[in-house]
Amino acid sequence: MSPQTATGGPHASEPGHKPVMLGEVLAALRPADGATYLDGTFGGGGYARAILSHARCTLWAIDRDPQAIARGVAMAAQLQQSDSVQRLHLVQGGFGDMLSLLAAQGVDGLDGVVLDLGVSSFQIDEAERGFSFRTDGPLDMRMSLEGPSAADLVNTLPEAELADVLYEFGEERLSRRIARAIVATRADAPIETTLQLAHIIRRVVPQEKSGLDPATRSFQALRIRVNDELGQIEEGLAQAARLLRPGGRLVVVSFHSLEDRIVKRFMTGAAGRLPAPSRHDPRGLALPSAPAAFKLVANRALRPGEDECRTNPRSRSAKLRALERVVRAASENPTDPAMPSSGSSSTDFSNNPISAGAAR
């Protein structure tokens, strides 16, 4: 799909949607005048607006959902008069393709990248998108509105493969039981709606004491598989690291263990935080490698505060991690982020909050 670009002002955002951990994201990113940033998951524009409000900077925003881009274009058109300089640029596509998407726009370096992983509240709240098991709608789940849908997978995958999808991407212990029930049901008629599928799952999976809906993990698994979300994360992290200029930061907010595991492994590896080998391992005798090209901004993931969790329940599972490209002398040869080395330093931004401004 060809990129679409637009311009807009710093106060552009979609009302009614609350960006998660906004203050912590801004504190980690440190927006600065004259810098160039990327919001790789534009959504409703909450992060984008806040970044542009805190600094006289340029922001590129990517989203593969055409509805998100349409919101951004409308927002930009309304606010075009509020800023004399074009500072917000929208590009349609997946953040896992940010290198090529930005290269096509003449951008080859960034001072910061923000990624808010997973499904957006707009997608969940719109029944016709098929992401939610609480409202009835077509079994779709495609963020880009292109390619095979969740209904295609549910109605065509062999039982064993379907069970593997539910187990791998949803960590569903009863995946085989659910797959068996789905295959038996679709033998009579295709499964076409979200409530149809949710009913099948609830029929064979007991209600948990925690109150978690039995369909939760299966819907997550199908959504991740339909959109290749984990592949996008792996590609996006590597490409963001390549685009960062010295001193630039990568800030990622994740919402479940599969996402956070990938982010944590990438960032600790890029910062040279690899487990020390056993004293019996000959590799422990090797000479130290070159200093790492990145450092962790905080040693541990940050979590939302109690107030945010209370006012925005969707933030409860959020984790924020951040990575910074180290400023090095010209004589040094930084390691590639895909080839992490030993040695790292870190700073903690948890005591340096930046005002979040008005939430969208």
Side-chain angles (χ1 to χ4, degrees):
M1 190 172 299
S2 60
Q4 303 178 28
T5 61
T7 64
H11 302 292
S13 70
E14 185 73 14
H17 177 69
K18 297 180 179 179
V20 172
M21 300 184 71
L22 181 57
E24 292 88 344
V25 166
L26 291 172
L29 188 66
R30 303 181 305 184
D33 292 349
T36 302
Y37 300 96
L38 169 68
D39 179 353
T41 48
F42 177 74
Y47 288 149
R49 181 195 58 179
I51 293 167
L52 290 168
S53 295
H54 277 82
R56 193 75 179 170
C57 59
T58 298
L59 180 72
W60 289 85
I62 292 174
D63 204 300
R64 58 177 163 175
D65 189 336
Q67 294 184 6
I69 295 297
R71 285 191 295 269
V73 169
M75 174 186 76
Q78 293 170 0
L79 299 171
Q80 188 172 3
Q81 309 261 336
S82 67
D83 203 335
S84 58
V85 179
Q86 179 176 332
R87 297 202 291 135
L88 173 62
H89 309 260
L90 291 155
V91 181
Q92 185 169 332
F95 65 78
D97 299 314
M98 68 176 72
L99 267 175
S100 59
L101 291 173
L102 293 178
Q105 304 297 326
V107 179
D108 59 4
L110 297 167
D111 299 294
V113 177
V114 175
L115 300 176
D116 180 14
L117 305 180
V119 64
S120 78
S121 62
F122 290 100
Q123 293 163 338
I124 293 175
D125 293 340
E126 295 172 3
E128 62 270 21
R129 300 299 300 271
F131 286 93
S132 176
F133 47 77
R134 301 190 187 282
T135 55
D136 201 18
L139 192 56
D140 194 323
M141 301 192 191
R142 295 172 300 171
M143 293 178 178
S144 66
L145 300 179
E146 295 182 337
S149 67
D152 293 326
L153 299 184
V154 164
N155 289 297
T156 62
L157 287 181
E159 181 178 325
E161 188 174 346
L162 182 56
D164 288 343
V165 167
L166 301 181
Y167 183 80
E168 181 179 356
F169 300 125
E171 300 178 299
E172 174 56 71
R173 294 180 296 103
L174 300 178
S175 61
R176 296 190 183 281
R177 182 188 299 181
I178 296 170
R180 192 179 311 120
I182 289 173
V183 170
T185 302
R186 78 188 189 193
D188 296 327
I191 302 167
E192 298 177 339
T193 71
T194 53
L195 289 189
Q196 273 183 287
L197 178 60
H199 177 69
I200 294 168
I201 298 169
R202 291 167 183 154
R203 199 173 63 228
V204 298
V205 177
Q207 178 67 54
E208 297 185 10
K209 293 181 180 179
S210 65
L212 185 73
D213 192 291
T216 301
R217 286 184 287 267
S218 294
F219 269 65
Q220 171 188 296
L222 290 170
R223 188 201 83 217
I224 290 174
R225 174 66 166 75
V226 164
N227 297 289
D228 185 29
E229 292 181 34
L230 303 188
Q232 280 279 303
I233 294 170
E234 291 175 347
E235 280 293 323
L237 293 173
Q239 293 185 25
R242 289 180 60 185
L243 284 164
L244 283 181
R245 298 182 179 123
R249 288 184 169 187
L250 168 61
V251 182
V252 184
V253 179
S254 61
F255 291 88
H256 59 74
S257 59
L258 296 177
E259 294 173 344
D260 184 59
R261 198 174 299 144
I262 295 173
V263 176
K264 180 180 180 180
R265 183 174 63 241
F266 178 84
M267 289 191 176
T268 55
R273 295 291 188 89
L274 298 177
S278 165
R279 61 190 179 90
H280 302 294
D281 189 333
R283 289 175 295 180
L285 301 176
L287 293 175
S289 56
F294 297 85
K295 67 179 181 181
L296 300 177
V297 176
N299 291 323
R300 295 183 179 181
L302 295 188
R303 304 299 300 270
E306 291 183 6
D307 289 344
E308 179 170 5
C309 291
R310 184 167 51 252
T311 58
N312 184 12
R314 287 175 177 166
S315 70
R316 289 174 182 167
S317 61
K319 290 185 177 181
L320 184 153
R321 298 184 187 274
L323 187 72
E324 179 180 332
R325 178 174 280 280
V326 178
V327 179
R328 297 200 174 280
S331 59
E332 291 184 314
N333 182 24
T335 58
D336 190 294
M339 301 284 291
S341 66
S342 60
S344 171
S345 61
S346 64
T347 56
D348 193 336
F349 58 83
S350 57
N351 294 320
N352 183 31
I354 297 178
S355 172
R360 65 182 177 187

